[in-house]
Amino acid sequence: MKISAEIQGFMTRLGHRFTRPELLARALTHASISTATRPDNQRLEFLGDRVLGLVMAEALLAADRGASEGQLAPRFNALVRKETCADVARQIGLGEVLKLGRSEMMTGGRRKEALLGDAMEAMIAAVYLDAGFDVARDLIVRLWGDRVGGVAVDARDAKTSLQEWAQARGLPPPAYVEISRDGPDHAPVFVIEARLTTGQVERASAGAKRQAEQAAAKALLTRMESSDD
């Protein structure tokens, strides 16, 4: 299988040379361009998510031997969630080499958080199948780097924290409402409102819907905690 200079450069950034380049090709193939003879990366994504989870669980246990399960779980979630995987994908330029269909290309697929996160998980699985668990673990630990040691002691995301705040006061879970979506398809801006049934509302905007929801939740939680004081 001939490997282009672009893919050679990506493997250098990734830090792994594939002995089975067909695994790399599959990890880079999005469902929007797959065919019967060119499978997409969804099955690899499924496997990579599990490999990443095991590596992060081991790393967190080693990093804090006194932490309880309740303390470790939110840190784990922060390290394996799509946003973190997408951040690592951007770090190594994964989006630049993804194989996408025309529709995804036209709507900025190379920058989409969910798409990048899925592709990063698929890449982890490809390395695991190509070279085994130890190599995959070393690659994950290297690429995640200081994220493991730097994950907050209380790493719950803002939406989870706001929901727990509401539940502790006998309130239903917060609602998230998309107020608007502006900008071109390849660079949208979402405006999201976080709402409590008691009437309190906060609004935030971001380039991804999930990011806007988190930002709105954080703003509302900060407001409500301040009013508790």
Side-chain angles (χ1 to χ4, degrees):
M1 180 179 177
K2 187 176 180 180
I3 300 176
S4 68
E6 185 181 35
I7 297 299
Q8 292 281 5
F10 170 73
M11 284 196 292
T12 298
R13 296 193 301 274
L14 178 67
H16 179 72
R17 291 280 164 182
F18 282 84
T19 57
R20 296 169 60 193
E22 67 273 12
L23 288 169
L24 171 61
R26 182 167 183 174
L28 294 174
T29 302
H30 186 257
S32 62
I33 200 173
S34 65
T35 65
T37 57
R38 179 195 282 173
D40 62 43
N41 60 11
Q42 290 180 331
R43 286 174 62 86
L44 288 178
E45 173 202 337
F46 173 82
L47 176 59
D49 177 57
R50 276 68 187 170
V51 176
L52 173 62
L54 178 56
V55 172
M56 286 295 105
E58 285 185 345
L60 285 170
L61 286 171
D64 189 347
R65 298 184 182 279
S68 67
E69 188 276 339
Q71 292 171 314
L72 291 170
R75 300 180 203 174
F76 174 86
N77 292 335
L79 290 168
V80 303
R81 63 190 177 201
K82 281 287 186 284
E83 292 86 348
T84 305
C85 291
D87 189 46
V88 176
R90 283 188 287 267
Q91 171 186 314
I92 59 174
L94 178 53
E96 300 168 16
V97 293
L98 286 178
K99 301 179 188 300
L100 304 174
R102 181 175 175 78
S103 61
E104 281 293 346
M105 290 278 287
M106 295 291 288
T107 57
R110 297 189 189 282
R111 292 183 294 275
K112 289 181 180 178
E113 195 122 292
L115 192 151
L116 287 172
D118 291 346
M120 190 66 234
E121 291 172 345
M123 191 59 58
I124 288 169
V127 172
Y128 166 74
L129 293 174
D130 188 61
F133 180 73
D134 288 344
V135 171
R137 176 175 54 200
D138 291 346
L139 180 136
I140 292 166
V141 170
R142 174 171 51 79
L143 292 181
W144 261 248
D146 294 339
R147 292 176 180 85
V148 178
V151 67
V153 173
D154 182 1
R156 291 171 299 174
D157 64 80
K159 288 180 67 176
T160 299
S161 296
L162 181 60
Q163 180 167 326
E164 290 176 353
W165 183 95
Q167 288 176 337
R169 289 154 181 80
L171 299 174
Y176 296 90
V177 180
E178 182 178 322
I179 303 302
S180 66
R181 173 180 171 164
D182 298 316
D185 287 340
H186 68 275
V189 176
F190 294 90
V191 177
I192 300 291
E193 210 167 67
R195 300 174 177 176
L196 292 171
T197 55
T198 48
Q200 290 88 351
V201 170
E202 285 292 341
R203 186 176 291 189
S205 62
K209 192 171 183 179
R210 284 190 294 183
Q211 288 179 333
E213 289 176 346
Q214 290 287 352
K218 183 176 181 180
L220 184 52
L221 180 63
T222 299
R223 174 182 168 189
M224 301 313 297
E225 288 180 335
S226 296
S227 66
D228 282 346
D229 295 338

